[in-house]
Amino acid sequence: MLETNRIYNMDCLEGIKKIETGSVKLVATDPPYFQGFTHNGQKGAFNDLAISRPFFAQLAQEFARILSEDGEFYIFCDWRGYAFYYPIFADYLPVRNMIVWDKMSGAGNFYRNTHELMIYGAVNSQTIRRETNVWTEKAFSSGARVSDGEKAHPTQKPLGIMQRIITNSSAPGDLVLDCFVGSGSTAVAAVKTGRRFIGFEIDERYFNIAQDRIARETKAAFLAPAT
Ligand SMILES: C[S@@+](CC[C@H](N)C(=O)[O-])C[C@H]1O[C@@H](n2cnc3c(N)ncnc32)[C@H](O)[C@@H]1O
């Protein structure tokens, strides 16, 4: 079994198999959006996603296994990714809603993209969340830089939105899982809010960036005066 309060430089599908069944209260994760360029330099297309369908189907089954009886999950995606991810995750997990993250700024010529989406689910049908499913939270381009510092990853999530997910759907001491750590925002937000975490990041460069951010935050939390 894996130690908690650690991230691992490995493929998440390998790593998640070592997590105890029913031990995770919250999955908060941000898989690749596949909007960029393919390995041969061509512009990526929606059909490119098909190759990763079996991977995400296995990951969804693992989420179903490791989530606790009151577990919840949030999976980030954009408008194209939602169409791909929703049927895969809904096959194995109790998806309950979609959350729209209003980022208050964004780029694009065919209407500016000022939102991202999250697939939201709760294992227990009695879980009640009364907030609306449209959340306004600053992105880096709309001011998160002031609180979070410069971006260390091209798709880095601001701490504000990660802390909102974590405080809504877990309690101090609960275990939070992020399978696609990137720069480590989920883990940093978990440290800030007193949750335990496990994370996986396949790219060594981002793994090291995340390790540094988590170490800084853990030291700051340790040095903070008790309230
Ligand atoms: C969209 S980014 C996550 C950004 C992150 N939310 C943040 O705030 O920095 C997705 C990350 O998943 C990593 N990744 C892709 N495939 C992976 C896999 N199979 N296992 C673990 N990490 C993976 C990529 O290297 C990338 O850093």
Side-chain angles (χ1 to χ4, degrees):
M1 289 298 143
L2 296 180
E3 272 177 51
T4 62
N5 295 332
R6 277 195 57 186
I7 58 168
Y8 295 84
N9 184 198
M10 67 192 295
D11 184 326
C12 61
L13 196 51
E14 257 175 68
I16 199 169
K17 292 181 178 147
K18 299 180 182 154
I19 296 181
E20 199 179 323
T21 300
S23 64
V24 173
K25 173 66 178 76
L26 170 65
V27 172
T29 203
D30 178 23
Y33 286 13
F34 304 102
Q35 290 172 327
F37 289 84
T38 61
H39 65 283
N40 59 8
Q42 303 299 304
K43 184 86 174 83
F46 186 75
N47 283 343
D48 298 340
L49 288 166
I51 199 167
S52 55
R53 194 180 301 276
F55 172 92
F56 283 104
Q58 284 183 57
L59 195 62
Q61 288 171 69
E62 285 298 312
F63 285 171
R65 182 185 67 78
I66 53 104
L67 278 166
S68 58
E69 284 174 4
D70 58 351
E72 290 170 74
F73 57 91
Y74 297 73
I75 300 160
F76 282 89
C77 48
D78 72 349
W79 55 280
R80 282 168 290 214
Y82 190 86
F84 170 74
Y85 287 122
Y86 172 79
I88 298 176
F89 285 106
D91 259 357
Y92 301 100
L93 289 158
V95 173
R96 308 280 181 190
N97 209 337
M98 173 184 80
I99 296 171
V100 179
W101 170 25
D102 169 10
K103 305 195 288 186
M104 299 187 287
S105 70
N109 291 332
F110 303 106
Y111 297 109
R112 287 184 297 123
N113 267 315
T114 61
H115 74 282
E116 286 179 41
L117 305 170
M118 283 172 256
I119 297 171
Y120 166 74
V123 174
N124 188 333
S125 60
Q126 305 302 310
T127 300
I128 298 196
R129 303 279 168 232
R130 290 269 181 239
E131 252 182 82
T132 84
N133 67 348
V134 180
W135 297 6
T136 304
E137 291 284 342
K138 282 179 185 151
F140 278 88
S141 50
S142 49
R145 192 168 276 111
V146 176
S147 50
D148 292 31
E150 285 305 314
K151 258 172 115 171
H153 188 289
T155 60
Q156 185 169 334
K157 293 291 169 281
L159 294 174
I161 189 119
M162 299 319 301
Q163 280 180 233
R164 185 163 176 175
I165 291 170
I166 289 173
T167 51
N168 278 8
S169 292
S170 66
D174 280 346
L175 181 56
V176 177
L177 171 68
D178 185 355
C179 280
F180 302 95
V181 159
S183 64
S185 303
T186 308
V188 170
V191 175
K192 276 185 181 296
T193 53
R195 273 66 168 171
R196 294 174 301 129
F197 64 88
I198 290 178
F200 304 109
E201 171 54 53
I202 207 163
D203 184 317
E204 193 178 1
R205 190 172 32 131
Y206 293 132
F207 172 79
N208 290 333
I209 287 171
Q211 285 276 64
D212 286 349
R213 284 184 79 204
I214 295 163
R216 276 200 304 276
E217 193 56 46
T218 306
K219 193 168 166 199
F222 183 71
L223 294 175
T227 49

